[in-house]
Amino acid sequence: MRKFINSMSSALVLATMLQGCVSPSNGNVDRSEQLNLETQERVLLASNNTVGLIEFYQNQLKDAESEHYRIKLAEVYLKKHDPESALFVLTPLTDNLPSSAESTLVAAKAHMDLGQFEVALGMLENAYEQSPVNGEVANLLGVVYAETGQFKQARTMFEVARTHFYSDLKIKNNLALLDILEGNYAAALERISSVATEPSLDKQTRANLLLVMAKMANNNWSCKSLMTRLQKTKNEHLSGIKNSDLKLVTAKCQ
């Protein structure tokens, strides 16, 4: 024979348990909605759906103001090469001083895209004061210093970024650019050659490599050493050098 609940308190306990199974608390509902939003965002990011991401972030901002989503939306606009829209979205954050280091950083990127380096410099210096261990901020400060002809300060900031473990490939590329601007092509070649094996070697780094090779060949010194090094690099199947690159330098060294 089954044992039935023989007290009112036990019955109440069971009713409460059953209710908990059927109707989750508000906290659980909120958590479920948050997980759903995070899943939607991950799918859009994974598919590189910038139009979908813009709509997604705009919808979140329609529901409630959020610095997090404003910054995310601005970053998507930057990715779409629309710095003006990025700055517009960030205005409520950057006008409300003191603004966060994160929003200031994204705004500075937009100003850099617009060629407004003096404005970007002030913003990045502000962000660096707030977050001195942020390698990306230090690297961008170096870029702006270089753009404004302040090479010594630029080199210092690139080294600072490196100490905070910012992308070694980007830092070496930027330092190589400084070497090129200062006419030290051998140092630039040394830096870029050290990252030529990277599978993520970007177009800018390869362009810098070509520029260095052409400059060294035009100067007509160390051509033999340069050709030996390039041929060795090509033989090792490094991604930074192609047959067309070798032909270019060969022609210039003759």
Side-chain angles (χ1 to χ4, degrees):
M1 181 180 294
R2 293 181 179 177
K3 293 183 178 180
F4 291 94
I5 298 171
N6 57 10
S7 69
M8 183 63 71
S9 60
S10 297
L12 288 173
V13 170
L14 179 59
T16 302
M17 291 174 63
L18 290 172
Q19 185 179 18
C21 293
V22 175
S23 303
S25 65
N26 288 337
N28 288 336
V29 171
D30 292 343
R31 180 58 181 160
S32 177
E33 291 178 351
Q34 182 60 36
L35 287 172
N36 184 41
L37 289 175
E38 291 173 0
T39 300
Q40 290 180 50
E41 184 180 16
R42 281 198 296 269
V43 170
L44 291 168
L45 287 169
S47 60
N48 198 28
N49 187 344
T50 54
V51 174
L53 281 168
I54 288 173
E55 183 179 0
F56 174 80
Y57 294 137
Q58 286 177 338
N59 286 336
Q60 304 317 305
L61 289 167
K62 288 176 184 177
D63 290 340
E65 177 57 40
S66 166
E67 176 175 348
H68 172 75
Y69 284 126
R70 277 194 179 277
I71 292 172
K72 290 278 191 178
L73 179 56
E75 288 176 331
V76 177
Y77 278 129
L78 286 180
K79 190 174 182 180
K80 281 177 61 67
H81 307 291
D82 187 359
E84 189 277 331
S85 292
L87 287 173
F88 179 80
V89 168
L90 291 170
T91 297
L93 303 179
T94 53
D95 282 357
N96 186 22
L97 300 176
S99 55
S100 68
E102 188 176 5
S103 62
T104 302
L105 171 61
V106 178
K109 290 179 181 178
H111 284 293
M112 289 174 68
D113 285 352
L114 291 169
Q116 300 167 350
F117 295 106
E118 292 296 337
V119 178
L121 178 58
M123 288 187 152
L124 288 168
E125 288 176 339
N126 185 304
Y128 184 66
E129 287 180 5
Q130 295 184 65
S131 184
V133 297
N134 188 319
E136 185 179 12
V137 173
N139 178 64
L140 288 178
L141 260 177
V143 171
V144 173
Y145 280 136
E147 288 284 353
T148 55
Q150 303 176 72
F151 297 155
K152 183 177 180 180
Q153 294 92 323
R155 193 175 294 277
T156 297
M157 293 315 301
F158 289 143
E159 294 295 351
V160 169
R162 199 173 188 183
T163 63
H164 297 308
F165 305 105
Y166 190 65
S167 167
D168 203 47
L169 177 60
K170 291 181 179 180
I171 294 299
K172 287 185 176 180
N173 178 62
N174 289 339
L175 287 170
L177 268 175
L178 278 182
D179 292 333
I180 293 170
L181 290 171
E182 293 172 342
N184 193 347
Y185 305 122
L189 181 61
E190 185 68 31
R191 289 186 196 279
I192 299 178
S193 295
S194 69
V195 296
T197 57
E198 295 286 342
S200 58
L201 192 71
D202 58 17
K203 291 180 180 178
Q204 182 59 59
T205 305
R206 182 172 176 271
N208 292 341
L209 180 61
L210 287 172
L211 177 59
V212 172
M213 292 190 299
K215 287 288 186 181
M216 292 183 72
N218 279 335
N219 286 343
N220 200 30
W221 68 260
S222 196
C223 262
K224 183 177 180 180
S225 173
L226 177 60
M227 286 301 302
T228 301
R229 181 178 221 163
L230 293 179
Q231 189 59 59
K232 179 182 178 182
T233 304
K234 180 61 183 175
N235 291 340
E236 292 172 355
H237 307 290
L238 304 187
S239 61
I241 296 178
K242 299 181 179 180
N243 285 325
S244 58
D245 303 339
L246 287 170
K247 290 178 181 178
L248 170 67
V249 179
T250 300
K252 289 183 176 290
C253 280
Q254 289 176 344

